[in-house]
Amino acid sequence: MFPKDAPVVSAQTTMEEYRKEYREKQKEFLRPANRQRLREQFVGIVDFIVKPRSVDMKEFRGDEQEMRRAIEDLYANDGRAFNPTMNYSPGMIDNYGKDYALNARGIYYFNNFRPELVTVGRKVWVPSFEDIDWENPSEHDRRKRARIIMEHSMDNETRHKSEYAWEADAWADVFNQMRNDPCLEVDKHDYFTEMPKTHPVLCTLTGESTVVNRIPDATFGLATFSDSTSGSPVQTNELSRERLERLLLHQKCGQLGDPKWGETDLVFPFAVYEAKGWSGDCREARRQACQGGACYLDMLDNLARTPGPIGSTKVYQTKTSHQYQVFALTSFGAHWHLLVGYQRPRQAEEYAETEGMSKTVYIFQRVWSARVTNERAAWELLSLVDQIHL
């Protein structure tokens, strides 16, 4: 229907009320008496969105290429970037409301890496396969690890194993080297954040917020050390747990280094991982990982600025302090995605200064994705993860 014929939505309008009124307005709009007006005002179809089918990994019938394409189409399907000036139908909100709400909060996903999105003097590092030859004898150990990932993935698919099996294999086969690094803390670690509320119909910010507690399947950050620890070759004063606790409780400018408020065990988080098994939704893994990554970007931004009271102007401590970033990894069965995320001010073409839209955006772009059911794809995943580790 035409925008002027759409239902009027207020701050109190519920989704049920909107759905009922939209149905009534649509019936009125399509009455025979309105056909002449439709013919006069209709300008043709200028755009459309194709909703890909859901992917049931147990029942999927097709080859590896078809499964990969189906998952990629579903993973990236977010209804296009949200336009806060449009009145979306109940069906569009049902299908894409979660992604539109994320867009209003500033979280955007792009299915490929686009350097032009990196603005305001920011540099973003992404791992690559440049100068890495998988035929080189030096890759023997990594290829051995890759074969284990391949074998476990094929076994999990054949036996229709639960999400726990996929997650356990990710910890043991993909993240084991980071897990064994004494400088890093890798854990199923809580994070707290103040989540802006969004309108159920408009999908824009309401101006209210609530504190939420989330637990990603894995969070990667720096390890801290107790002053009583002796003999550790990687212990530094900057990562002293006691020192971080004093900074946390500072009267004028307490610093949060751990995403779990009040703790100092895992600090300066730089990556997050979310897994979904057979019964999951790969888009939900993407949404969860990006929300966790956005929380960590907010933390890193605050830590990169000069300390000061809440509400005060805080400038970056150095000329390069704003060059922080995070990585988000997701797995849907054997299909993995690696995203890089960074933060910047919202631009005019992204509805900056529009009511109900965030001032900051968090851009997450796909760096790589594949089904790790063959040695080469598994090796590629390890090559990229190992570079992030280094």
Side-chain angles (χ1 to χ4, degrees), residues 35-234:
R35 288 178 181 172
Q36 182 60 33
R37 184 165 70 97
L38 284 172
R39 284 192 290 267
E40 292 174 353
Q41 298 184 20
F42 182 66
V43 296
I45 298 174
V46 296
D47 194 11
F48 64 91
I49 296 174
V50 177
K51 181 186 175 184
R53 60 176 175 170
S54 297
V55 179
D56 186 332
M57 303 280 278
K58 292 183 180 180
E59 304 297 329
F60 189 87
R61 296 293 180 267
D63 58 25
E64 278 286 312
Q65 186 70 10
E66 291 170 331
M67 179 176 284
R68 185 197 66 79
R69 188 182 305 112
I71 295 174
E72 288 290 352
D73 289 344
L74 183 62
Y75 192 90
N77 186 243
D78 58 3
R80 308 269 177 85
F82 173 56
N83 181 346
T85 67
M86 286 187 62
N87 288 320
Y88 290 99
S89 68
M92 286 290 289
I93 297 171
D94 289 341
N95 288 321
Y96 304 114
K98 291 181 179 179
D99 289 299
Y100 291 160
L102 289 182
N103 291 170
R105 296 184 182 119
I107 299 173
Y108 291 86
Y109 169 71
F110 293 87
N111 203 36
N112 50 65
F113 186 78
R114 295 164 56 183
E116 64 270 20
L117 293 176
V118 184
T119 60
V120 295
R122 181 180 296 277
K123 295 181 180 179
V124 173
W125 174 81
V126 294
S128 70
F129 304 115
E130 187 177 354
D131 299 326
I132 302 178
D133 180 7
W134 94 308
E135 297 285 359
N136 194 300
S138 63
E139 292 297 314
H140 175 268
D141 289 342
R142 187 148 46 204
R143 290 185 63 167
K144 182 178 180 181
R145 293 163 55 204
R147 285 192 290 273
I148 293 174
I149 294 175
M150 176 192 71
E151 291 165 1
H152 284 170
S153 295
M154 295 178 68
D155 179 68
N156 289 344
E157 287 195 343
T158 301
R159 298 176 181 273
H160 294 174
K161 290 190 177 180
S162 68
E163 184 175 310
Y164 169 79
W166 292 100
E167 187 179 336
D169 286 341
W171 279 87
D173 303 341
V174 181
F175 304 132
N176 59 323
Q177 292 197 355
M178 283 199 278
R179 173 65 184 85
N180 294 329
D181 188 336
C183 296
L184 301 182
E185 188 74 22
V186 184
D187 197 4
K188 200 177 180 77
H189 196 74
D190 299 51
Y191 73 82
F192 289 86
T193 187
E194 190 173 358
M195 182 75 70
K197 292 183 178 180
T198 56
H199 193 281
V201 177
L202 300 175
C203 299
T204 52
L205 305 183
T206 64
E208 300 179 337
S209 61
T210 184
V211 174
V212 299
N213 174 211
R214 301 280 171 81
I215 309 176
D217 290 319
T219 294
F220 305 79
L222 300 184
T224 60
F225 306 92
S226 172
D227 290 348
S228 60
T229 304
S230 61
S232 174
V234 293

Side-chain angles (χ1 to χ4, degrees), residues 2-3 10 15 33 145 148 176 204 253 258 288 326 338 357:
F2 299 115
S10 70
M15 190 62 203
R145 293 163 55 204
I148 293 174
N176 59 323
T204 52
C253 52
D258 189 319
Q288 292 173 354
V326 298
L338 171 62
M357 301 294 279

Side-chain angles (χ1 to χ4, degrees), residues 236-254:
T236 65
N237 181 58
E238 288 77 7
L239 294 174
S240 162
R241 199 167 297 142
E242 287 77 7
R243 178 176 181 271
L244 290 169
E245 287 172 355
R246 291 194 296 270
L247 290 173
L248 173 66
L249 300 174
H250 196 284
Q251 292 182 351
K252 294 184 178 181
C253 52

Side-chain angles (χ1 to χ4, degrees), residues 305-356:
R305 295 177 182 272
T306 302
I310 295 176
S312 64
T313 301
K314 302 175 184 178
V315 299
Y316 288 116
Q317 297 183 44
T318 71
K319 292 181 179 180
T320 58
S321 292
H322 64 296
Q323 308 285 11
Y324 54 86
Q325 62 185 69
V326 298
F327 291 98
L329 297 103
T330 67
S331 63
F332 177 53
H335 201 115
W336 282 71
H337 281 79
L338 171 62
L339 319 179
V340 63
Y342 49 95
Q343 181 192 72
R344 60 165 170 77
R346 186 182 287 275
Q347 299 179 342
E349 61 271 21
E350 298 163 332
Y351 304 100
E353 306 300 329
T354 300
E355 184 178 358

Side-chain angles (χ1 to χ4, degrees), residues 238-287:
E238 288 77 7
L239 294 174
S240 162
R241 199 167 297 142
E242 287 77 7
R243 178 176 181 271
L244 290 169
E245 287 172 355
R246 291 194 296 270
L247 290 173
L248 173 66
L249 300 174
H250 196 284
Q251 292 182 351
K252 294 184 178 181
C253 52
Q255 294 290 295
L256 287 173
D258 189 319
K260 187 175 182 180
W261 294 351
E263 302 292 335
T264 56
D265 299 316
L266 184 158
V267 296
F268 307 109
F270 61 86
V272 59
Y273 167 67
E274 291 285 2
K276 294 298 173 190
W278 294 101
S279 59
D281 185 335
C282 60
R283 293 170 299 175
E284 197 59 33
R286 167 176 57 77
R287 294 175 189 132

